[in-house]
Amino acid sequence: MKLSLAFLLLPLLVAQAAAPPPSTSSEVDAVYPQSEALYLDLHQHPELSLHEQQSAAKLAAGLRKLGYEVTTGVGGTGVVGVLKNGTGPTVMLRTELDALPVEEKTGLPYASKVRTKDDTGADVPVMHACGHDVHMAAWMGTAGIMAGRRDRWHGTLILIGQPAEERVMGAKAMLNDGLFTRFPRPNFALAVHDDANLPAGVVGYHAGPILTNSDAVTITIFGRGGHGARPETTVDPIVIAARTVLALQTIVSRENSPFDPAVVTVGAIHGGTKNNIIPDDVTLLLTVRSFTDPVRQHLLAAIERIAKAEAAAASAPREPKIEHVEGTYALVNDAELTRRVSAALTRELGAERAKETPPEMASEDFSEFQRAGVPVLMLRVGAVEPAKFEAAQKSGTPLPSLHSSLFAPDREPTIKTAIASEVIALRELMAK
Ligand SMILES: [Zn+2]
Ligand SMILES: [Zn+2]
């Protein structure tokens, strides 16, 4: 009797063991309502860089509920969640926490109305205009799927919430606070970023450099002020600044190889108070972009050489002051990691949803983790409603970019594609 019962049950047991696991899309559908609720909450309560306390607390609470070992206050407001699941690779997934001083004009019912004081004391609006709320919501959905299906991966999963990405400070702050020493050092680091130039539902990948070195440079040009009608008694820093701005244009156009992408932009010029006064000094604010270390060094050295030479040509009383105020490294997606993950994405989502996308002249401090010796991969997740994307392609009208007051991600397909991409990538790298 016992034997025959076991015999009868056997096919059922085998059938259960062999039943295919649920599809990624049904797993994503199951966690989406919580991710959406978190998104709507975060979107209406954005926080500026270095002030992400509430966002960090929400992420930490969510991870704790899922059984992650959570540490807060890493490198400022940073959150680290660790989920150990036997021996195997250690993989880190990052989200950013911060928003921007932008006034939301999307007209959405859940648009941000938040205003706050920035670090200079000025009253500013705040908006998730870069979509870091999309990343946080997806990251939490991924955290849920990974915690719920530990039978489908092994190793150590590290989820981090990184502060101050918009000021390219947070990644370094977390590293300096022991991210790779107090917690297991990852074999791979992953991140996604939403993309205002890709239709929702699409995930983009690209091996090699995808984002640039970025340097912010301030040049203060010193002259000798005086009466606007007595130029012979002065050294006019406005004229020196004008010549400097034009000469700086020749760095990219004449000194740099056309095969090496580079940008030197003078984004602000400040000097003078009145039409009949020659000021004592003028300040130029520059952003400088490049993909390689040699090009970066050349651009920065050329800026210094030209600024000093133009001041000397005008007989300025002192050399200009040149300050490197902020900088981050180019983001280089690891070739082998990109190959593995893009193959998995193409297999699971299809070639019409997993696409090769071009690099951009924007920047990100996710590159700090790669500088610390970890192979990294950042995927792009389309955020534009497909119909709007098509209409814009046809009309040639540019879509609102990231950081725009009108940026409004098509939330459901964007968040769902971000979760699916993260889960597919993690399972590929931590496969049993
Ligand atoms: Zn941004
Ligand atoms: Zn961003």
Side-chain angles (χ1 to χ4, degrees):
M1 185 62 196
K2 267 181 194 168
L3 255 179
S4 61
L5 184 63
F7 183 73
L8 281 171
L9 283 173
L10 192 61
L12 192 64
L13 291 171
V14 169
Q16 252 179 6
S23 69
T24 314
S25 75
S26 66
E27 292 178 278
V28 172
D29 289 346
V31 296
Y32 180 70
Q34 286 115 299
S35 282
E36 184 185 51
L38 178 63
Y39 172 75
L40 294 173
D41 177 10
L42 293 166
H43 191 82
Q44 292 172 87
H45 301 98
E47 295 173 300
L48 290 179
S49 305
L50 306 173
H51 300 277
E52 310 92 338
Q53 282 87 0
Q54 295 311 314
S55 309
K58 287 167 195 169
L59 297 196
L63 285 192
R64 279 199 187 101
K65 236 187 258 170
L66 291 167
Y68 287 72
E69 236 173 84
V70 179
T71 309
T72 54
V74 181
T77 60
V79 178
V80 180
V82 179
L83 189 61
K84 291 188 175 144
N85 188 22
T87 54
T90 299
V91 183
M92 182 176 97
L93 173 67
R94 180 202 77 163
T95 178
E96 317 87 323
L97 303 172
D98 54 339
L100 288 158
V102 171
E103 186 177 353
E104 179 157 1
K105 293 180 183 155
T106 58
L108 289 167
Y110 53 90
S112 166
K113 294 180 183 70
V114 172
R115 300 191 71 88
T116 190
K117 292 254 184 284
D118 72 7
D119 290 346
T120 70
D123 179 62
V124 292
V126 194
M127 173 188 175
H128 267 299
C130 205
H132 296 177
D133 48 355
V134 169
H135 309 165
M136 286 187 265
W139 179 95
M140 191 60 84
T142 298
I145 293 175
M146 295 302 285
R149 290 303 304 260
R150 286 176 229 198
D151 57 319
R152 297 199 57 193
W153 59 280
H154 68 148
T156 301
L157 176 59
I158 303 185
L159 298 186
I160 69 162
Q162 182 209 300
E165 188 287 318
E166 294 294 355
R167 295 180 61 180
V168 293
M169 293 162 75
K172 204 166 211 163
M174 289 189 83
L175 287 168
N176 290 343
D177 199 7
L179 179 62
F180 288 173
T181 50
R182 287 162 59 197
F183 308 95
R185 184 184 167 84
N187 301 106
F188 306 105
L190 301 173
V192 299
H193 204 294
D194 56 2
D195 193 314
N197 270 316
L198 267 185
V202 170
V203 55
Y205 60 85
H206 184 90
I210 60 157
L211 297 169
T212 63
N213 294 310
S214 169
D215 295 283
V217 178
T218 301
I219 304 175
T220 310
I221 294 164
F222 301 103
R224 189 169 53 240
H227 201 293
R230 297 283 312 277
E232 73 279 15
T233 66
T234 72
V235 174
D236 188 345
I238 289 199
V239 175
I240 304 174
R243 281 207 295 248
T244 304
V245 171
L246 290 180
L248 290 173
Q249 308 307 310
T250 63
I251 301 172
V252 173
S253 67
R254 305 289 80 187
E255 293 187 26
N256 183 63
S257 162
F259 292 102
D260 289 322
V263 171
V264 175
T265 290
V266 180
I269 170 163
H270 300 298
T273 52
K274 198 169 179 301
N275 48 349
N276 62 357
I277 299 171
I278 292 168
D280 285 326
D281 49 61
V282 171
T283 307
L284 307 179
L285 307 181
L286 283 69
T287 189
V288 184
R289 307 293 170 108
S290 57
F291 275 111
T292 68
D293 285 349
V295 171
R296 180 186 208 176
Q297 281 149 18
H298 177 88
L299 298 178
L300 294 174
I303 287 165
E304 188 164 338
R305 167 170 49 79
I306 286 170
K308 284 182 178 169
E310 288 295 348
S315 195
R318 44 186 283 221
E319 277 197 338
K321 186 163 83 180
I322 299 158
E323 295 160 284
H324 186 246
V325 285
E326 221 171 65
T328 195
Y329 295 105
L331 177 57
V332 184
N333 278 342
D334 181 79
E336 174 57 15
L337 177 59
T338 310
R339 191 198 58 71
R340 274 181 75 182
V341 170
S342 63
L345 291 169
T346 307
R347 196 169 59 235
E348 296 232 15
L349 300 175
E352 57 303 325
R353 291 188 61 198
K355 287 189 172 159
E356 166 85 37
T357 49
E360 280 185 59
M361 295 308 281
S363 303
E364 245 287 349
D365 70 353
F366 190 58
S367 54
E368 293 291 340
F369 304 120
Q370 141 217 333
R371 281 272 155 171
V374 174
V376 301
L377 171 62
M378 175 177 276
L379 299 168
R380 317 288 304 187
V381 174
V384 188
E385 203 184 308
K388 272 192 200 157
F389 179 79
E390 241 175 71
Q393 295 287 101
K394 274 192 197 134
S395 68
T397 321
L399 292 156
S401 63
L402 296 179
H403 292 203
S404 156
S405 58
L406 297 173
F407 175 61
D410 188 5
R411 73 175 187 275
E412 183 164 343
T414 304
I415 293 171
K416 282 185 170 176
T417 305
I419 300 174
S421 303
E422 290 173 352
V423 170
I424 291 166
L426 290 171
R427 284 180 178 160
E428 164 65 25
L429 299 173
M430 307 175 95
K432 275 201 151 172

